Every structure is written in C-alpha cells, then in structure tokens.
Amino acid sequence: MEHSILLGQPCPKTLKLDQACLEVYSSISNTVDLWHQYVDCFMCNVTQWTSIPSNGTAALLVDSTLSSYFYYSDEFGHKYCNTTVSFDEHATYGWNISEDSSCSSVKKILNPSTHPHLPLVVAFLIYGIGAILWSVAKCVYQQEWSARVWLLNVAFSELENDLGTPPTREIGSTRRQINSRIQALDTFRGFLFVMGMSLVLSLRSQLRNDRSRFSVWVTALRRASMLILLGLLLNSFGHRHNDLSNFRFGGVLQRLGASFLIISSIETIFMNPQAPSQYGYFSDIWDGWAQWMGSLAFAGAWMLITFFVYVPNCGRGYIGPGGLHEFGKFENCTGGAAGYIDRIILHPNHMYQNPTCKKIYQSTQPYDPEGMLFS
C-alpha cells in the first residue's frame, strides 16, 4: 500500500491534491499493527498499513478520492475497531485507540483550508464569461458590415461543398439513433459513436460529389495520420517522455485516428453513395450489409482473442486489474489477453505505466487502455 507514513510526527500543514491526513494516537503498551484496504478494491485482502509502537503516534497520508477500510490488531492477531471512512480533501482527522481494545470514532480535527467547491465556482465563472463573449460574438456576427469584412458567405460555401447536404430523412434517422443509444454509452465510447456516424454522412456527401473512392480514402488516410502524429507528439511532452527507450505509443488520439481510418476504409469501399430508402426501417442494415459484416468480424475477433487466448500463469478469459484482485490469484495478469499482447508487441516500457487499477489494486504490470485491442 503506497502511503506516506510519519511515525511520531503530526500531519503536515500542506497536503497535495486529493490527499488527507489521519493522525492515530495509541495508548496501548504494546506495538499494534494497522491494516488498510480501499472499499473499491473488490475481492482484495487487507494489507498492513504500518506498526505503531507502544504509546506512539503516526500520521498517515491517505487518498481522499477513495473510501478506506481499516482496523488494528494486537500481537496475537486479534482484530479491533473495524472502521470505514471517506476522507475530505486536505482535511486532518484523529483516531484514538486505547488499552481496553476500544477506540474513538474518526473525527475531523482540522477542516481543509480550501473550499471543496472552489473548482466548480471557477468553472462556472469561466463558462459564464465564455457565454457572455459568445453572445457578443453572435451579435457582431449578425451585423452586415462584419459579413462583408470576413467574407463569411465564401467560407460557408466552401464548407457546404466539402460536406454536402444530406437528405432530411437521413439526418432525422441518425439523430433518433444517437438519442436512443447515447444514454447507454460512456463519454469516450459515445464520442466514438458520434464520430463514426458523422464520418458516414461526410463520406457519402463526398462520394455524391463525384469524387473517386481512392481520393476520398487518401483524404481519410491523411486525416488519420495527422491525428496519430499529433497524439505521438503530445506523448513526447515532458522530460520523462521524450526518450525513445520509454516512449508511449498508445493514446486517445492514436485510437481515434486508427478507428477513423478503419471506418473510412470500410465505408469508402462498400458504401452506396445514395441515401438508403428502398427497404424502409431496414435500409441501414440491408444497404450496409458489408459494413455490418466487417463490424461483426472485428467484434468477434476481439471476443475470441480476449476470452480464448491462453495467457501464461493467467489462463483464459481473465480481464481484471490483476494485483490484489481475487485475493492475488491473478497478480501479474493486468488486462488479461489485451495486456499480455501489448507487453509482447509494444514492450512494457512503451505502455502506460500508471493505470487506474494501480492505485486501488496495487498492480505492478503496465497496462494501456489504448493498446492493440483498444480494450
């Protein structure tokens, strides 16, 4: 368990982001052991936090974003005072344990110096100022003199020629599909879904304008390459990330670029430039049967690799965080087959070193959520 422990010292006056401090006061004549685990750590054993000497104190820096479960044990291994606490950021807490195996409740002894809602207030002010500036910009934009100065008519004409004007029926159908499905998706996958739908509309409009399929595909390849290169450039920022020996290849923009290229390639080859209308409600399925087959093939391949590839010392089908999960049975199996394939092809040095599961499950293997399988 990665915590900062200060034996015999009080809590520091300055705490880091998402950090709180717990001061433990022991009046027991023998050494006691403190045990800890995060509540979110599913099927995990508790780990020893620290040992407090007789009549000693300890200041423990804890993560305020996660609820903690802890207790203390004596020299005979007896457990006392099982406690679960959600800590406030930058707050200091006190906990007394005594000789008669009793303890006080965890009490806040010092409130945070900063207001917890300050970031929300700042964000509200920024958005409010942005809304005012946007209203002013719209007012200026609607003036006749600004249209002449900025030649907006030319800009809109070029944009319309590039994207085209899809039929009203197709736009309405697309919006209904997005509204019904977006509620079940998280932000990132929802964004990918919207990007894919918008991409189809854009490709169809370009093909309707008598552009060759090859030229449309070359344009998609150029845009995907720019996204991937931009993602690699962002990964190189910082003195620790510009070394090729530990340069991370994966990233969000790389994933978007690869997805963009795959979708563009399939749609450019098989798309019917005319809007589907012959088969009613089943038009999207019937006219795009080849695209559906391609999507199902990708999904099927992902499932076969994820659940049937044998991972040494991990078996088949495990997709968990590794580390302490399932009581340490899959300690070095972070990410299952996806993580295993990435570590072989990309090498651990070129993967994301601090996945979310590392803090909760104490996993030691690197894992890249934007790896080869995009899992």
Side-chain angles (χ1 to χ4, degrees):
M1 188 70 59
E2 295 184 0
H3 296 285
S4 295
I5 302 172
L6 306 174
L7 291 176
Q9 301 180 40
C11 288
K13 295 182 179 180
T14 303
L15 297 174
K16 298 180 180 179
L17 184 68
D18 296 331
Q19 196 175 63
C21 186
L22 173 65
E23 293 183 355
V24 182
Y25 310 94
S26 173
S27 59
I28 302 176
S29 57
N30 297 317
T31 299
V32 296
D33 296 326
L34 286 181
W35 300 81
H36 174 274
Q37 191 51 265
Y38 292 119
V39 175
D40 291 342
C41 193
F42 180 67
M43 298 179 67
C44 299
N45 291 317
V46 293
T47 57
Q48 185 174 355
W49 207 350
T50 187
S51 296
I52 301 179
S54 60
N55 299 311
T57 62
L60 308 169
L61 301 181
V62 296
D63 194 315
S64 61
T65 62
L66 300 168
S67 298
S68 295
Y69 163 77
F70 51 90
Y71 61 85
Y72 79 90
S73 63
D74 58 18
E75 56 185 344
F76 303 105
H78 299 148
K79 303 176 183 178
Y80 304 100
C81 299
N82 297 296
T83 306
T84 301
V85 178
S86 295
F87 296 99
D88 292 336
E89 185 182 26
H90 295 165
T92 300
Y93 294 80
W95 192 41
N96 297 313
I97 55 178
S98 58
E99 189 73 52
D100 57 355
S101 302
S102 64
C103 55
S104 68
S105 60
V106 176
K107 297 181 179 180
K108 185 186 296 185
I109 58 179
L110 183 62
N111 285 317
S113 57
T114 57
H115 197 280
H117 297 142
L118 182 60
L120 295 178
V121 175
V122 173
F124 178 79
L125 291 176
I126 292 176
Y127 283 119
I129 295 174
I132 295 174
L133 294 177
W134 176 255
S135 299
V136 173
K138 286 180 63 178
C139 182
V140 174
Y141 170 80
Q142 294 172 355
Q143 300 299 318
E144 184 178 354
W145 61 268
S146 65
R148 291 196 301 268
V149 173
W150 295 333
L151 300 177
L152 293 179
N153 291 332
V154 176
F156 280 127
S157 177
E158 293 177 353
L159 182 62
E160 187 175 19
N161 289 335
D162 182 42
L163 296 179
T165 306
T168 304
R169 177 187 175 276
E170 185 176 354
I171 294 178
S173 175
T174 301
R175 287 177 177 172
R176 285 194 296 271
Q177 293 179 23
I178 292 176
N179 290 335
S180 62
R181 298 177 185 176
I182 199 68
Q183 297 177 357
L185 301 173
D186 59 24
T187 303
F188 185 72
R189 291 182 175 85
F191 178 78
L192 285 178
F193 176 77
V194 173
M195 183 189 75
M197 296 298 297
S198 303
L199 176 60
V200 171
L201 298 177
S202 176
L203 291 175
R204 178 171 286 133
S205 65
Q206 293 180 60
L207 292 175
R208 284 206 200 101
N209 290 334
D210 295 330
R211 289 190 61 186
S212 67
R213 294 181 184 268
F214 180 74
S215 65
V216 172
W217 182 82
V218 169
T219 301
L221 176 62
R222 177 175 58 85
R223 293 177 177 176
S225 301
M226 292 176 62
L227 279 174
I228 294 174
L229 290 176
L230 182 59
L232 294 175
L233 179 63
L234 291 176
N235 284 356
S236 67
F237 286 171
H239 68 282
R240 294 184 179 180
H241 305 288
N242 52 16
D243 186 355
L244 291 179
S245 63
N246 56 13
F247 183 79
R248 182 191 174 197
F249 295 136
V252 174
L253 290 181
Q254 293 89 310
R255 180 174 181 176
L256 292 176
S259 302
F260 184 91
L261 181 60
I262 293 173
I263 296 173
S264 299
S265 300
I266 295 176
E267 291 291 346
T268 303
I269 295 173
F270 298 106
M271 174 181 286
N272 178 10
Q274 301 303 320
S277 59
Q278 184 177 357
Y279 300 99
Y281 292 109
F282 300 98
S283 296
D284 291 337
I285 298 177
W286 183 263
D287 291 347
W289 66 269
Q291 294 92 312
W292 281 103
M293 291 297 102
S295 300
L296 292 175
F298 276 109
W302 182 89
M303 295 184 66
L304 289 175
I305 295 173
T306 300
F307 295 105
F308 293 99
V309 168
Y310 177 79
V311 179
N313 301 319
C314 301
R316 294 181 174 87
Y318 180 76
I319 56 175
L324 298 176
H325 185 238
E326 295 199 20
F327 309 107
K329 181 180 178 181
F330 301 98
E331 181 178 1
N332 296 317
C333 304
T334 302
Y340 174 68
I341 293 173
D342 288 342
R343 288 189 286 272
I344 291 178
I345 298 178
L346 300 179
H347 194 273
N349 289 346
H350 301 292
M351 298 172 59
Y352 187 47
Q353 301 297 317
N354 297 296
T356 305
C357 58
K358 182 177 182 179
K359 178 171 63 175
I360 300 177
Y361 292 93
Q362 301 180 46
S363 55
T364 58
Q365 296 289 339
Y367 175 71
D368 209 320
E370 285 82 32
M372 301 295 294
L373 294 186
F374 292 165
S375 54

